[in-house]
Amino acid sequence: MSIFIDNSTTVIVQGITGRDGSFHAKQMMEYGTKIVAGVTPGKGGQKFEDKVPVFNTVAEAMKATNANTSVIYVPPMYAADAILEAADAGVKFIVAITEGVPVLDMTRVYPFVKEKGARLLGPNCPGLITPGQSKVGIIPGRICTPGPVGVVSRSGTLTYEVVYQLTRAGLGQTTCVGIGGDPINGTNVIDCLAAFEKDPATKVVCMMGEIGGTDEQEAAEFVKKNMKKPVVGFIAGQTAPPGRRMGHAGAIISGSAGTAAEKIQAFKDAGMGVAQRPLDFVELVRARLK
Amino acid sequence: MSIFIDNSTTVIVQGITGRDGSFHAKQMMEYGTKIVAGVTPGKGGQKFEDKVPVFNTVAEAMKATNANTSVIYVPPMYAADAILEAADAGVKFIVAITEGVPVLDMTRVYPFVKEKGARLLGPNCPGLITPGQSKVGIIPGRICTPGPVGVVSRSGTLTYEVVYQLTRAGLGQTTCVGIGGDPINGTNVIDCLAAFEKDPATKVVCMMGEIGGTDEQEAAEFVKKNMKKPVVGFIAGQTAPPGRRMGHAGAIISGSAGTAAEKIQAFKDAGMGVAQRPLDFVELVRARLK
Amino acid sequence: MNIHEYQAKEIFRAAGIPIPPGEVATTPAEAEAIAKKFGGTVVVKAQVHAGGRGKAGGVKLAKTPQEAREVADKILKLHIKDLPVQKVLVTPAADIASEAYVGIIVDRARKKAVFMVSPAGGIDIEEVAAKTPEKIMYHPVDARYGLMDFEAQQMGFFLYKDAKQARAAASIMKQLYQAFVKSGASLAEINPLVVTPKGEVLALDAKMVVDDNELDRHPEIAKLRDESAEAPSEVQARNANLTFIKLDGNVGCVVNGAGLAMATMDLVKYYGGEPANFLDIGGSSNPEKVVNALKIITADPNVKAILFNIFGGITRTDDVANGIVTATKQNPLKVPIVIRLTGTNEEIAMKILQDNGFSASSDMDEAVKKAVELATKGGKAA
Amino acid sequence: MNIHEYQAKEIFRAAGIPIPPGEVATTPAEAEAIAKKFGGTVVVKAQVHAGGRGKAGGVKLAKTPQEAREVADKILKLHIKDLPVQKVLVTPAADIASEAYVGIIVDRARKKAVFMVSPAGGIDIEEVAAKTPEKIMYHPVDARYGLMDFEAQQMGFFLYKDAKQARAAASIMKQLYQAFVKSGASLAEINPLVVTPKGEVLALDAKMVVDDNELDRHPEIAKLRDESAEAPSEVQARNANLTFIKLDGNVGCVVNGAGLAMATMDLVKYYGGEPANFLDIGGSSNPEKVVNALKIITADPNVKAILFNIFGGITRTDDVANGIVTATKQNPLKVPIVIRLTGTNEEIAMKILQDNGFSASSDMDEAVKKAVELATKGGKAA
């Protein structure tokens, strides 16, 4: 079992002939992900890697394949339109990897996706992986292994770091989800926590947050009220100064809001385990699996 | 019993200090309609006719009165905004009398009202009346009398004509609704038919349509499939030439679509009574009440 | 409100749509001069508010300036659907590899603006819809989001397989939608949208109808109105705030409300007559309006009898009665008049009419029957 | 991207917002000349990308041109939050009857642009929020509909009881929203919005922050960037496509990914050190980026040790290793370096480093501990 994707997931790659899109499409195919179509306007009729049919529009790709998922690797100025196109064509799970999507674009994309009844993950996220079944996005497959731990994070490489430590310690994962570091994204931490709570295979959840916003505080509230499974949390940016954006557009402390200290306090108040360093996840998770 | 309004209806008049608004507010009050507030930006704090409090915004009026209905008499360029404001403030039934609302405004208004879960009647409509209980709009009260006939029409004075004939013949009405003659309006014939079908007091329904569009054809289909109560129909514009707009923005025959002949045929196919002249309603209704 | 092709082209050009140059001539000599300036073959096109210009001989090729003068002379003498041609547009003839159709209308069923696009352009889209409906793509636009890029692209690929052409068409559709919304249009059309042998995508024709209700908001569009290109009686009616449509019968009708006006015309027909017009004096009438209405109706020599049908609601019937009295004093009627009045201030109205020698009924059928009879057999009511 | 007050004012003015005139001076003499031109009392305001200008002495009144020269001289010598003041804006002083606040920000929780308006203007809005939260109205804008007229009017009436002033403010809010969207802003602010004794509503200050991700779409905005008003190391980093924030510690950090970069800084602190910076080399690194990163970090005299923490995913660790080798050959390091690499092409990277005399670890904690130790006690790794 897992959340959001598994071996029944069928994927359209938007931007499949681009530099990033083609590289990661191959990586996903090697991992075993069922890539059923690609989309690049003007390249309709071609075959990617002699196997995957390429279409001019997502609507055509959907008509031919009825995929349930799409993953987006198009340049930032076109990413919002690609998400709208996927949702309009009836794709139910849309993973937007692209970094640098204007936030005002997302204020239009978000309600559209919602109206269409689709789920968006990202943008500016590494995607997700259900080890041994499917990966959609860019998380390196070899650092993961199947097991009982659910992982959700706002960051890319920090997720890798934690997953890598878990895997090295023999602690496999149900699904690892990177929700992305942008201020407006499609799926938040709570959505993932709720899904993990429902997933019978997940026994413990690791949550890597960061400074900025109130997502983690709300997540902690959710854990307290709605979750029976144990959750271990971490906040990156304990040493970050206020008012400076730490790379991620969302990682900025505004006034007294969004500090690491208040988030960690919220975790503690919710009875969660708190990792001070990425390495701490190993022992905290192990203790909760016993 | 009745549809949409009755003696529990409480009404906000938007544009209450204007020429039309003040005239009809008085008329409604005289008829017994519960006018609880008026709105005119900049006139907040005044009292209309020494009785009705006037507010600057609908939000304020709603906070003070929690009315369930509003009626709009503002100039055409501001009418769309007035509808949006009412829906946003939580008014559940909005009656827009204003004629001349740009149709592109309505393409934005319609989905907004729907999202807010409100019902819009009009624009460019005479409103509605539940004889003896409440009138919202401009239908002359004295031509109506309570009774078992439901009336729905796209037109103003044509409705009066038919209601007048019915009343003279002793055939009273549950509710008379004018949905308006614009191409895009909030409530269509089917919405009214469905409501009349559910209203136990209504025994027979009169429907006055006109050329243009396919509302009446769809209504006939609805009658055939979903109504047990008898319906009598009439189409105005049998002599209208194609391609010319007959006053109402919606009353235009495009190509072979929207002619009176095809609409009358649809009525016949649905087993409805067909009035060739307004006067015919009297005998057709009387026969169906026996 | 209709605007001319050359006016629509200016609006489309301002929105960025690629359109070959063109200039307007009102005389054959001007047409010749413009053709000379452009050089090569030109197209001379009647600027008139009527469809089917081509079939009516209103669009002609001219290979030389002399020929442009000749065809302009012929076209400027035409009447197309009763409307005189007073201007022609002269444009260089384009080489055409293919013709497509792109249009936007407001669709009442979908409650949205809807794109209609077809790779079968250059002909009447209704003909395409009737014969080869699979060649039309309908695309409703959600006004909340506007025309999204991917939607324009989908339509572009429906028109053209070539990605460059599809993208060019998508961009034109975005621009057309902008122009449509910005102008408060109810229709905007490019027919044909052509691809040249070099692969350029160009709009060769332009049509736009503006929602009358938007004109207060768009004074720059409102002043494009060309009253000389409209039927004089309709211009007169509009300036008097009346809605008037001329028809071919002999019973002149004055009614309040569009639905009742249509029903009255129908009843004229029902009783064996033919209505001479649709005329709605609207909701808030005043005596002045009635005077103007009578002026317009009596100007039609076909009218043999005049029928008033007024159901007073907002309209005060005494206002209407006063209008009738004033108008007939100013210009005594040469045809009989039949008056039906009921509703607001009916008693006062009846008294006014009686005091001035008119009779009136409160029954619609009775009044219509009488008017038909008078128009058909001649005679005098009132 | 921050822009200056005078630049934001130009954008707001173009959107129709009423703003008194103003001109920019870079010297005291220019300030004097401008003050002379305007006549009367002027305000001289530091143009600098930092809040709290007033408290820092960056905003002064001047009653005469001579006084304008003097205060400009003082202000142009200031550093506000480490940034030198290089320009001042000189504007006529306005008579003020009341001050309000109007701002728009993108709110992550509501996933919308949100208006914040308050009749308590002229001071820091965070102070108002903390002390008198009832004086702030928050109004989220649905991007699908834009700011609707009635919404602007509601906010107008929240600011002013007078209907004329409320309408004027509503109109300014519509214009501000247009400017905000059209510029791709993430923040737009008028503080104060004033009413003059005559009842005019005017914007006396203007602030706008533009979303960096929008700059490709708005070249006219992108060129407003004033690099002379930014920290030189951050300008250098941005031009090299790196994300860099200078901090006060002594351990220079080079990391891939924002989250891991923050976690690395935190771990430095955990093991008793202080990070000298945040530096993210991003996803698709190349050796050139590493070279630039090292240049920027070694330019900071506080840095006593350098820590690389690279988790290869999209980033190839051999690229990073090659970058380190190239950079240190060009400019030999004067401080010790500690390298942690794991992930894509890890084995190749390790070999490259060993061949060039560097050692590297694959364990994050070990590497951080070592770097802190070296920075604190001195010594040499590699």
Side-chain angles (χ1 to χ4, degrees):
Chain A
M1 294 290 285
S2 60
I3 69 168
F4 303 151
I5 59 170
D6 57 29
N7 49 26
S8 73
T9 298
T10 51
V11 181
I12 294 170
V13 180
Q14 294 178 248
I16 196 167
T17 61
R19 198 178 57 99
D20 290 346
S22 59
F23 177 79
H24 289 290
K26 275 182 236 167
Q27 298 266 311
M28 286 187 279
M29 287 160 76
E30 278 166 26
Y31 195 76
T33 305
K34 296 185 178 74
I35 305 291
V36 296
V39 172
T40 300
K43 306 258 166 115
Q46 299 184 1
K47 292 250 178 192
F48 175 75
E49 295 282 295
D50 295 329
K51 267 196 286 246
V52 180
V54 178
F55 299 88
N56 285 326
T57 66
V58 180
E60 286 168 16
M62 279 299 280
K63 207 174 157 191
T65 68
N66 201 26
N68 52 30
T69 301
S70 88
V71 59
I72 292 171
Y73 298 95
V74 309
M77 291 301 127
Y78 306 102
D81 190 60
I83 299 170
L84 295 169
E85 182 179 7
D88 187 67
V91 177
K92 287 299 164 201
F93 185 45
I94 303 161
V95 181
I97 307 301
T98 309
E99 184 181 348
V101 179
V103 69
L104 289 181
D105 287 9
M106 290 307 299
T107 62
R108 296 173 74 240
V109 164
Y110 184 79
F112 187 84
V113 169
K114 216 170 152 191
E115 285 183 50
K116 294 288 173 185
R119 170 181 295 287
L120 170 67
L121 181 67
N124 187 22
C125 81
L128 73 173
I129 184 166
T130 291
Q133 299 191 49
S134 185
K135 93 165 194 175
V136 178
I138 63 174
I139 297 177
R142 65 194 149 61
I143 62 171
C144 307
T145 194
V149 184
V151 176
V152 52
S153 167
R154 264 161 74 177
S155 152
T157 46
L158 176 58
T159 314
Y160 308 168
E161 183 71 42
V162 171
V163 171
Y164 171 71
Q165 310 259 22
L166 291 172
T167 296
R168 283 212 300 187
L171 300 164
Q173 305 89 40
T174 49
T175 303
C176 307
V177 187
I179 63 167
D182 276 5
I184 299 184
N185 54 22
T187 293
N188 64 21
V189 179
I190 291 178
D191 298 325
C192 299
L193 291 176
F196 280 129
E197 177 71 8
K198 273 193 206 148
D199 172 40
T202 301
K203 304 299 177 201
V204 56
V205 181
C206 297
M207 180 207 306
M208 284 84 85
E210 60 190 33
I211 51 163
T214 55
D215 273 21
E216 287 80 6
Q217 293 89 314
E218 285 146 26
E221 199 60 30
F222 180 86
V223 169
K224 201 170 164 184
K225 285 195 185 148
N226 306 95
M227 286 189 74
K228 290 192 179 131
K229 295 180 184 173
V231 181
V232 179
F234 174 82
I235 299 293
Q238 301 174 42
T239 48
R244 306 304 304 269
R245 174 182 146 174
M246 296 286 119
H248 283 165
I252 181 165
I253 299 170
S254 316
S256 62
T259 63
E262 73 177 276
K263 290 176 186 232
I264 289 170
Q265 190 56 50
F267 287 174
K268 287 182 181 161
D269 292 347
M272 288 167 50
V274 178
Q276 285 194 273
R277 328 168 271 172
L279 182 60
D280 294 342
F281 275 107
V282 170
E283 285 316 311
L284 290 164
V285 166
R286 196 170 273 151
R288 282 161 179 76
L289 279 175
K290 275 173 193 163
Chain B
M1 294 289 285
S2 61
I3 69 169
F4 303 152
I5 59 170
D6 57 28
N7 49 27
S8 73
T9 297
T10 50
V11 181
I12 294 170
V13 180
Q14 294 179 249
I16 197 166
T17 60
R19 199 178 59 95
D20 291 347
S22 59
F23 178 79
H24 289 290
K26 276 181 236 168
Q27 297 266 310
M28 286 187 280
M29 286 160 77
E30 279 167 26
Y31 194 75
T33 304
K34 295 185 180 75
I35 306 292
V36 296
V39 172
T40 299
K43 307 257 166 117
Q46 299 185 0
K47 290 250 176 188
F48 176 76
E49 295 282 295
D50 295 328
K51 269 197 283 246
V52 180
V54 178
F55 298 89
N56 284 327
T57 67
V58 180
E60 285 167 16
M62 280 298 280
K63 206 173 157 193
T65 68
N66 200 26
N68 51 32
T69 300
S70 88
V71 58
I72 292 172
Y73 299 94
V74 307
M77 291 302 126
Y78 307 100
D81 190 60
I83 300 171
L84 296 168
E85 183 180 4
D88 187 66
V91 178
K92 287 301 162 202
F93 186 44
I94 303 162
V95 181
I97 307 301
T98 310
E99 183 180 349
V101 180
V103 69
L104 289 182
D105 287 9
M106 290 306 299
T107 61
R108 297 172 74 240
V109 164
Y110 185 79
F112 187 84
V113 169
K114 219 170 150 190
E115 285 181 51
K116 294 288 172 185
R119 169 179 297 288
L120 171 68
L121 181 68
N124 188 21
C125 81
L128 73 172
I129 183 166
T130 291
Q133 298 191 49
S134 185
K135 94 165 192 171
V136 178
I138 63 175
I139 297 177
R142 65 195 149 57
I143 63 172
C144 307
T145 194
V149 184
V151 177
V152 54
S153 168
R154 263 162 73 177
S155 153
T157 46
L158 177 56
T159 314
Y160 308 167
E161 184 71 43
V162 172
V163 171
Y164 171 70
Q165 310 258 19
L166 291 172
T167 297
R168 282 211 301 186
L171 301 164
Q173 306 90 40
T174 47
T175 303
C176 307
V177 187
I179 63 166
D182 276 5
I184 299 184
N185 53 24
T187 293
N188 65 20
V189 180
I190 292 178
D191 298 324
C192 298
L193 292 176
F196 281 128
E197 177 71 9
K198 273 193 208 150
D199 171 40
T202 301
K203 304 299 177 200
V204 55
V205 180
C206 298
M207 179 204 310
M208 285 83 86
E210 59 189 35
I211 52 166
T214 54
D215 272 21
E216 288 80 5
Q217 295 87 314
E218 285 146 26
E221 199 61 29
F222 179 85
V223 169
K224 201 170 163 181
K225 286 194 184 147
N226 304 95
M227 285 189 75
K228 291 194 178 128
K229 294 180 184 173
V231 181
V232 180
F234 173 82
I235 298 294
Q238 301 174 43
T239 49
R244 306 305 303 269
R245 173 184 147 172
M246 296 285 120
H248 283 164
I252 182 165
I253 299 170
S254 316
S256 62
T259 64
E262 72 177 276
K263 291 179 184 231
I264 289 170
Q265 192 55 51
F267 287 175
K268 287 182 180 161
D269 292 347
M272 288 167 49
V274 177
Q276 285 194 273
R277 327 167 272 173
L279 183 59
D280 295 342
F281 273 107
V282 170
E283 285 316 311
L284 290 165
V285 166
R286 195 168 274 152
R288 282 163 180 77
L289 280 176
K290 275 171 190 164
Chain C
M1 181 183 97
N2 287 302
I3 61 174
H4 287 299
E5 174 192 357
Y6 76 90
Q7 296 169 322
K9 279 185 170 171
E10 271 167 42
I11 293 172
F12 289 6
R13 248 186 228 118
I17 297 176
I19 298 179
E23 285 181 30
V24 173
T26 54
T27 65
E30 277 173 24
E32 182 179 6
I34 297 166
K36 207 167 188 173
K37 202 175 91 179
F38 286 135
T41 303
V42 296
V43 191
V44 182
K45 301 165 91 176
Q47 300 298 289
V48 65
H49 296 323
R53 287 180 304 177
K55 284 179 193 155
V59 180
K60 298 272 184 209
L61 276 176
K63 287 185 186 153
T64 64
Q66 175 56 31
E67 205 183 326
R69 182 190 193 104
E70 288 160 18
V71 302
D73 186 51
K74 274 182 203 151
I75 294 175
L76 285 166
K77 283 175 181 153
L78 287 178
H79 278 66
I80 300 180
K81 295 192 181 154
D82 281 345
L83 296 169
V85 179
Q86 297 175 320
K87 291 173 188 164
V88 292
L89 177 64
V90 183
T91 68
D95 288 333
I96 296 174
S98 75
E99 295 185 304
Y101 171 93
V102 174
I104 318 175
I105 50 153
V106 176
D107 183 78
R108 52 195 293 161
R110 297 184 182 92
K111 301 185 194 279
K112 283 173 182 162
V114 175
F115 267 89
M116 293 191 295
V117 302
S118 173
I123 52 169
D124 192 350
I125 191 68
E126 299 213 340
E127 209 179 307
V128 181
K131 290 184 187 161
T132 49
E134 74 284 0
K135 284 193 181 155
I136 302 183
M137 180 178 193
Y138 297 88
H139 195 99
V141 180
D142 188 331
R144 299 172 303 163
Y145 296 95
L147 181 67
M148 293 177 273
D149 291 341
F150 76 88
E151 297 179 303
Q153 199 158 270
Q154 277 172 6
M155 292 190 280
F157 277 111
F158 181 76
L159 295 183
Y160 305 116
K161 285 199 175 157
D162 179 82
K164 217 182 113 215
Q165 290 167 21
R167 278 205 195 90
S171 157
I172 288 170
M173 285 183 256
K174 294 269 293 181
Q175 291 156 339
L176 186 66
Y177 183 74
Q178 289 303 327
F180 175 85
V181 172
K182 213 178 144 189
S183 309
S186 50
L187 180 147
E189 203 177 76
I190 299 172
N191 188 20
L193 181 75
V194 304
V195 178
T196 66
K198 286 179 191 162
E200 286 171 297
V201 182
L202 298 176
L204 288 201
D205 195 4
K207 187 176 172 184
M208 191 151 100
V209 179
V210 178
D211 182 353
D212 292 339
N213 294 338
E214 295 260 10
L215 294 176
D216 282 352
R217 205 180 263 165
H218 303 285
E220 76 293 352
I221 304 271
K223 74 181 182 218
L224 296 181
R225 190 189 289 280
D226 179 3
E227 294 198 338
S228 73
E230 300 177 325
S233 59
E234 292 179 19
V235 173
Q236 200 183 347
R238 188 179 55 244
N239 292 339
N241 268 316
L242 304 167
T243 313
F244 174 82
I245 312 280
K246 200 191 155 337
L247 302 170
D248 296 328
N250 55 12
V251 180
C253 302
V254 182
V255 190
N256 66 324
L260 188 60
M262 284 189 275
T264 305
M265 286 157 50
D266 295 348
L267 205 60
V268 167
K269 181 97 174 177
Y270 180 87
Y271 286 117
E274 286 292 342
N277 63 278
F278 169 96
L279 194 154
D280 174 10
I281 59 168
S284 38
S285 71
N286 58 38
E288 187 67 19
K289 270 195 171 179
V290 177
V291 173
N292 283 315
L294 272 172
K295 260 187 210 157
I296 293 164
I297 287 190
T298 52
D300 178 356
N302 291 340
V303 169
K304 300 299 177 210
I306 295 169
L307 167 65
F308 271 74
N309 185 15
I310 305 297
F311 202 114
I314 314 185
T315 308
R316 291 168 47 183
T317 57
D318 53 331
D319 279 348
V320 176
N322 279 323
I324 293 171
V325 171
T326 310
T328 51
K329 271 186 190 153
Q330 281 171 12
N331 301 294
L333 288 177
K334 301 194 179 84
V335 293
I337 182 168
V338 180
I339 302 167
R340 184 273 177 131
L341 291 172
T342 193
T344 313
N345 295 356
E346 178 179 335
E347 296 76 15
I348 308 172
M350 290 295 186
K351 175 126 196 359
I352 293 168
L353 290 172
Q354 279 161 14
D355 290 353
N356 287 279
F358 293 94
S359 70
S361 147
S362 69
D363 186 281
M364 177 169 164
D365 285 69
E366 197 181 286
V368 171
K369 255 189 279 188
K370 196 165 169 191
V372 170
E373 203 178 327
L374 289 166
T376 314
K377 301 181 185 162
K380 196 162 168 16
Chain D
M1 183 183 96
N2 287 303
I3 63 173
H4 288 298
E5 174 192 357
Y6 76 91
Q7 296 169 322
K9 280 186 170 171
E10 272 167 39
I11 293 172
F12 289 6
R13 248 186 227 117
I17 297 176
I19 297 180
E23 284 180 34
V24 172
T26 54
T27 65
E30 278 173 26
E32 182 179 6
I34 297 166
K36 206 167 190 173
K37 202 173 95 179
F38 286 136
T41 303
V42 296
V43 190
V44 182
K45 301 165 92 177
Q47 300 297 289
V48 66
H49 296 325
R53 287 181 303 178
K55 284 179 196 156
V59 180
K60 299 273 183 207
L61 276 176
K63 287 184 185 159
T64 64
Q66 175 56 28
E67 205 183 329
R69 182 193 193 105
E70 287 160 17
V71 302
D73 185 51
K74 272 183 206 150
I75 294 174
L76 285 166
K77 283 175 181 153
L78 288 177
H79 278 66
I80 301 180
K81 294 189 183 158
D82 280 345
L83 295 168
V85 179
Q86 296 175 322
K87 291 173 188 165
V88 293
L89 177 64
V90 182
T91 68
D95 287 332
I96 296 174
S98 74
E99 295 185 304
Y101 172 93
V102 173
I104 317 175
I105 51 153
V106 176
D107 182 78
R108 51 196 295 162
R110 297 184 180 92
K111 299 181 195 281
K112 284 174 181 159
V114 176
F115 266 88
M116 291 189 296
V117 302
S118 173
I123 51 168
D124 191 350
I125 191 69
E126 300 212 339
E127 207 179 309
V128 181
K131 290 184 188 161
T132 49
E134 74 284 359
K135 284 195 182 155
I136 303 183
M137 180 179 193
Y138 296 89
H139 195 100
V141 180
D142 188 330
R144 299 172 304 164
Y145 296 96
L147 181 67
M148 294 178 274
D149 291 341
F150 77 87
E151 296 178 303
Q153 201 157 267
Q154 279 172 4
M155 291 190 281
F157 277 112
F158 181 76
L159 295 183
Y160 305 116
K161 285 202 175 154
D162 179 80
K164 217 182 113 214
Q165 289 168 20
R167 279 206 193 88
S171 157
I172 288 170
M173 285 184 256
K174 296 269 292 181
Q175 291 157 339
L176 186 67
Y177 182 74
Q178 289 304 325
F180 175 85
V181 171
K182 213 177 145 191
S183 309
S186 50
L187 179 148
E189 204 177 75
I190 299 173
N191 189 19
L193 180 75
V194 304
V195 179
T196 66
K198 286 178 190 164
E200 286 172 296
V201 183
L202 297 175
L204 288 202
D205 195 5
K207 186 176 173 185
M208 191 150 100
V209 179
V210 178
D211 182 354
D212 291 339
N213 294 337
E214 295 260 10
L215 293 176
D216 282 354
R217 207 179 259 166
H218 303 287
E220 77 291 355
I221 304 271
K223 74 180 183 222
L224 297 181
R225 189 189 289 281
D226 179 3
E227 294 199 338
S228 73
E230 300 177 325
S233 59
E234 293 178 18
V235 173
Q236 199 184 349
R238 189 179 55 244
N239 292 338
N241 268 317
L242 303 167
T243 313
F244 174 82
I245 311 279
K246 198 186 155 342
L247 302 171
D248 295 328
N250 56 11
V251 180
C253 302
V254 181
V255 190
N256 67 325
L260 189 58
M262 284 188 276
T264 304
M265 285 159 49
D266 295 347
L267 206 59
V268 166
K269 180 96 174 176
Y270 180 86
Y271 285 116
E274 286 291 341
N277 64 279
F278 170 96
L279 195 156
D280 175 9
I281 60 168
S284 38
S285 71
N286 58 38
E288 186 68 21
K289 270 195 172 179
V290 177
V291 172
N292 283 316
L294 273 172
K295 261 189 212 158
I296 292 163
I297 286 191
T298 52
D300 178 357
N302 291 339
V303 169
K304 301 299 178 211
I306 295 169
L307 167 67
F308 271 74
N309 184 16
I310 305 295
F311 202 114
I314 315 183
T315 308
R316 290 166 50 184
T317 56
D318 52 331
D319 280 348
V320 177
N322 278 322
I324 294 170
V325 171
T326 310
T328 50
K329 270 186 191 151
Q330 283 172 10
N331 300 296
L333 288 177
K334 298 193 181 91
V335 294
I337 182 168
V338 180
I339 303 167
R340 185 271 178 130
L341 290 173
T342 190
T344 313
N345 295 357
E346 177 179 334
E347 296 77 15
I348 308 172
M350 290 295 187
K351 177 129 194 358
I352 293 167
L353 290 173
Q354 278 159 15
D355 290 353
N356 287 278
F358 293 93
S359 70
S361 147
S362 69
D363 186 281
M364 178 168 162
D365 285 70
E366 197 179 288
V368 171
K369 254 189 278 186
K370 197 164 168 190
V372 170
E373 202 178 328
L374 288 167
T376 313
K377 302 181 186 163
K380 199 166 165 17

